[in-house]
Amino acid sequence: MTDTRTDIDSGTSVSTVTQRLRSGTRAWHEALERTGFATAMLAGTLPLGRYVGQLAAYRVVLSALEAELARATCPSVAAVWSPDLVKLPLLERDLRHFAAARGAVPEPGPAAEEFVGEIRRTAATEPRELLGFLYVLEGSTLGAMFLCRYVTEAYRLTDGNGASYYGSGDRARWAAFTGRLDRALGEPAVQERVLAAAERAYRHIALISGELSAGLGASASERVQPAVSP
């Protein structure tokens, strides 16, 4: 099954926004997999503080993004955003677990605050582009489904405590979300703007990952960029 549709007037095949987002951000996704943070997680050597630091960073990012999506009056956003996409309570649950176990959790670094600023500026100027941010962050939960077992084994987490965000991926929810996205964003010009926003989101996530990768290996000191231009 392909992510294309046929334009009735011209008879030509037209890419959906989901297909364009997937292909246009693939290089960013692959670059993030090469970071010190990601490779250490797969090796089971990621310090617990770095994992908790990522959760803390994502909490401030998703707090801003979910609030802006919920209050947006743009019809396209309203057609895509759904309460079942909310992840903030899961992050807060995980962080409460670690706060109880460790006494405190790390403060988010500057990269997370920069992303929050980007979210708020985008909400004020072109709220449809928030959907590009949402695509990236919701999509990351699918990857987290694969990583969840590494997390639970490395930190000996049980009953979802400390791993509720990483365990939140759901393919049926993702299919419903991308279906709504494709129906809401059919105009090529709008798709271009949402794709550009998704790339900005990846850049911010790369900066967060870079902060959390410091000192974890050779790849940690490299600037995270796509290996090839999307």
Side-chain angles (χ1 to χ4, degrees), residues 184-206:
L185 304 176
E187 299 175 29
V190 174
Q191 292 180 1
E192 284 291 334
R193 295 180 69 91
V194 172
L195 173 57
E199 292 182 294
R200 297 201 306 275
Y202 264 111
R203 183 180 68 82
H204 286 291
I205 290 174

Side-chain angles (χ1 to χ4, degrees), residues 161-190:
N161 292 318
S164 52
Y165 176 73
Y166 263 62
S168 67
D170 184 283
R171 296 192 182 282
R173 185 183 67 230
W174 173 255
F177 162 65
T178 54
R180 295 194 301 271
L181 198 64
D182 286 338
R183 290 190 294 273
L185 304 176
E187 299 175 29
V190 174

Side-chain angles (χ1 to χ4, degrees), residues 11 30-31 35 46 65 74 87 103 106 165 184 201 207 213 229:
E30 292 171 353
T35 62
L46 182 71
L65 180 59
C74 169
K87 301 293 185 304
Y165 176 73
L207 292 172
S213 293
S229 298

Side-chain angles (χ1 to χ4, degrees), residues 84-152:
D84 71 337
L85 297 171
V86 171
K87 301 293 185 304
L88 184 60
L90 301 176
L91 287 163
E92 291 178 336
R93 176 188 173 190
D94 289 341
L95 290 169
R96 283 195 300 271
H97 168 77
F98 290 116
R102 296 166 54 110
V105 298
E107 289 295 322
E113 295 299 338
E114 289 178 17
F115 197 176
V116 168
E118 175 98 37
I119 289 166
R120 289 173 176 159
R121 288 191 298 272
T122 300
T125 57
E126 181 45 272
R128 286 179 297 187
E129 294 179 11
L130 294 173
L131 297 174
F133 300 162
L134 179 60
Y135 172 87
V136 172
L137 288 161
E138 178 63 24
S140 72
T141 65
L142 295 183
M145 291 170 63
F146 168 74
L147 295 170
C148 191
R149 68 183 181 92
Y150 292 91
V151 168
T152 56

Side-chain angles (χ1 to χ4, degrees), residues 26-39 42 219 224:
R26 184 177 294 115
W28 276 108
H29 180 80
E30 292 171 353
L32 283 168
E33 292 178 338
R34 298 191 296 270
T35 62
F37 180 91
T39 55
L42 287 172
S219 63
V224 182

